[in-house]
Amino acid sequence: MDYQKYVQMLKAMADPNRLKIIDLLSCGSLCACDILEHFDFSQPTLSHHMKVLQNAGIVAARKEGKWQHYTLQAEFMATFKQDTAQLLSSDDQCVCHDVTCTACASGKVVVTNEKIELFEPAMCCSTGLCGPSVDPALLMITSAFDALQGVKTIEADRYNLSNNPDVFSERADILAAIKDDPDAVLPITVVDGQIVKTGAYPTIDELSDYTGLVFVPAEQSGGCCGGASGCC
């Protein structure tokens, strides 16, 4: 991707009148007189805008009689679409593949547009607020995964052995891990299909490593049920 050329196109387009001109020309070639009908400015002002677009390789001009006729450059349309798609996507052409990741070299798991899963032991309530006392680890995990639900680039799911046995049964890696001693192995944290931690919930720092996000602990009160409710 030619960043310099892309910036030149963006600079030329960074004007509402020129964007409108591009929008008009997207329907086909137009005479300067037809373009002027959509604006309140004069012919010299239009000529200035068209000159900027021509210099950026966005518009081509040809003269017919006393009027200029303008057309969007085919190369511009193809290049701008391709470069914009590449800029906003993660694929084999992405510049990030040319960068050595220090986090990867250190053995940390780095997640971008990926999935984090938590396989937990059997329990009736996974919030950490049920029962006679608060479970700080569960409370933290609940808050963190609730926050992750609002992050579009990361899919975060929790599976409880008592509530989601079907999910456990479909995962050969999880079944193999818990075969001998489920109590010692659960909870299991999985990032992008790879088991990264067993036997304890991930810490805030570990969640940050897995997701690339910064988690800020928040005070919470209340709960899904009280100690006398009988749910736990």
Side-chain angles (χ1 to χ4, degrees):
M1 178 176 175
D2 188 335
Y3 292 107
Q4 186 62 39
K5 186 175 181 180
Y6 190 72
V7 167
Q8 290 176 349
M9 290 188 289
L10 290 177
K11 286 182 177 179
M13 296 164 61
D15 178 277
N17 290 318
R18 291 196 282 273
L19 276 179
K20 186 175 180 180
I21 291 170
I22 293 172
D23 195 7
L24 291 169
L25 294 178
S26 68
C27 299
S29 179
L30 288 176
C31 172
C33 58
D34 294 326
I35 296 175
L36 278 171
E37 292 182 2
H38 296 272
F39 299 94
D40 293 329
F41 50 65
S42 63
Q43 169 66 35
T45 301
L46 175 63
S47 296
H48 166 72
H49 286 307
M50 302 314 297
K51 190 66 174 178
V52 173
L53 293 174
Q54 284 178 266
N55 290 340
I58 296 174
V59 169
R62 73 181 190 280
K63 192 169 184 179
E64 293 185 8
K66 67 173 185 177
W67 289 104
Q68 291 279 4
H69 288 253
Y70 297 100
T71 308
L72 287 180
Q73 293 271 27
E75 182 182 355
F76 156 73
M77 291 190 288
T79 302
F80 188 76
K81 288 180 180 179
Q82 178 181 330
D83 288 349
T84 301
Q86 182 179 334
L87 185 70
L88 300 176
S89 64
S90 175
D91 55 26
D92 292 339
Q93 303 300 319
C94 186
V95 68
C96 67
H97 295 294
D98 299 327
V99 179
T100 300
C101 178
T102 56
C104 295
S106 68
K108 296 179 180 179
V109 178
V110 180
V111 180
T112 304
N113 294 325
E114 297 296 350
K115 185 173 184 178
I116 177 170
E117 301 168 287
L118 192 60
F119 291 83
E120 303 174 82
M123 62 184 82
C124 74
C125 178
S126 59
T127 64
L129 293 168
C130 301
S133 62
V134 172
D135 185 326
L138 272 179
L139 181 60
M140 181 276 291
I141 285 296
T142 297
S143 298
F145 270 71
D146 284 348
L148 288 173
Q149 300 310 307
V151 180
K152 294 182 179 180
T153 57
I154 296 174
E155 181 181 351
D157 296 304
R158 296 175 66 183
Y159 303 111
N160 185 307
L161 185 57
S162 60
N163 296 330
N164 311 106
D166 53 326
V167 179
F168 278 73
S169 65
E170 294 170 358
R171 294 289 295 267
D173 55 341
I174 301 300
L175 289 177
I178 65 175
K179 180 180 179 181
D180 296 328
D181 192 353
D183 293 336
V185 177
L186 294 173
I188 297 174
T189 304
V190 180
V191 177
D192 192 24
Q194 175 187 352
I195 295 178
V196 296
K197 185 170 185 177
T198 62
Y201 286 103
T203 64
I204 284 291
D205 288 341
E206 288 171 332
L207 285 175
S208 293
D209 288 339
Y210 300 155
T211 63
L213 303 175
V214 177
F215 291 83
V216 179
E219 294 293 331
Q220 295 191 19
S221 61
C224 70
C225 56
S229 66
C231 83
C232 299

